[in-house]
Amino acid sequence: VSGPTPPPYLSDPSSPLFLGARVDMGNQVVELREDNNTRVTSRLVLGSGPDLVVRSVTAPTGLTRNSAFTAQVQLCNEGNVGVYGYAPLELIISTETSLYVPGQGQPPYTQVQVPVGGVTVSSLAVGQCTLLPVQGFVMPPASARPGQPLYLGALVDAPNSLPELLEDNNALTMASPISQVP
């Protein structure tokens, strides 16, 4: 099956699009079940451009406040155009298991997360991944309470200075906490 890919009429340009299929739309065929005639599959990405994606973040766990560490961040360009500019990659400590990813012109951090290290990412070809060592230090956000776990995440291109096909896949957080608020 082939067809055009215009976005739906009056759709929000920042909303994701998904590919779907439907059979027997008018219920003309008598079936045992009619509730399984529709399926939505993968997200569609329209256009041309790079797409920076944080694939993994690893670091030691059980760290104490103000201790230095080195994290390993795997970053990939899953777009259809190479990255030829520069983009910041930041390590973020958060009291939550996922990072806030700011939109264009929004403040880069919340009260539950704080930047603790970073590097600059340069050229990445289409499909290329790189493993970056990033230096950081353990510092809890201002809103952290004693005994609260601290999670480490990585966020690339927080200011959205590099136009990408998708902007909502630029962050990833480790599943296990790296520390605990003393």
Side-chain angles (χ1 to χ4, degrees):
V1 177
S2 64
T5 58
Y9 183 69
L10 294 177
S11 65
D12 179 356
S14 63
S15 295
L17 299 174
F18 296 87
L19 179 63
R22 182 168 45 187
V23 66
D24 191 24
M25 187 166 65
N27 290 331
Q28 295 175 354
V29 176
V30 177
E31 302 177 69
L32 290 174
R33 292 180 58 189
E34 295 287 349
D35 64 343
N36 61 356
N37 291 351
T38 304
R39 179 163 173 100
V40 176
T41 60
S42 58
R43 183 174 178 176
L44 289 177
V45 179
L46 304 177
S48 181
D51 183 24
L52 295 175
V53 179
V54 177
R55 282 285 153 228
S56 68
V57 181
T58 58
T61 58
L63 299 170
T64 59
R65 184 184 195 120
N66 296 324
S67 61
F69 64 91
T70 300
Q72 301 293 321
V73 178
Q74 184 184 33
L75 182 68
C76 300
N77 178 8
E78 295 184 1
N80 52 23
V81 171
V83 175
Y84 300 107
Y86 294 93
L89 178 111
E90 297 174 279
L91 291 179
I92 308 287
I93 287 186
S94 177
T95 56
E96 297 179 343
T97 56
S98 62
L99 294 181
Y100 162 75
V101 178
Q104 188 75 33
Q106 293 179 331
Y109 309 107
T110 67
Q111 294 177 348
V112 298
Q113 62 188 44
V114 63
V116 296
V119 295
T120 300
V121 178
S122 59
S123 301
L124 274 177
V126 173
Q128 181 182 4
C129 294
T130 186
L131 189 62
L132 301 166
V134 186
Q135 304 296 316
F137 62 97
V138 178
M139 184 170 89
S143 66
R145 298 178 318 273
Q148 193 168 23
L150 298 175
Y151 296 90
L152 179 69
L155 175 61
V156 67
D157 193 29
N160 292 329
S161 58
L162 178 70
E164 297 180 68
L165 289 173
L166 299 173
E167 297 287 353
D168 62 356
N169 59 359
N170 290 3
L172 183 70
T173 306
M174 286 178 49
S176 301
I178 64 161
S179 185
Q180 202 170 6
V181 179

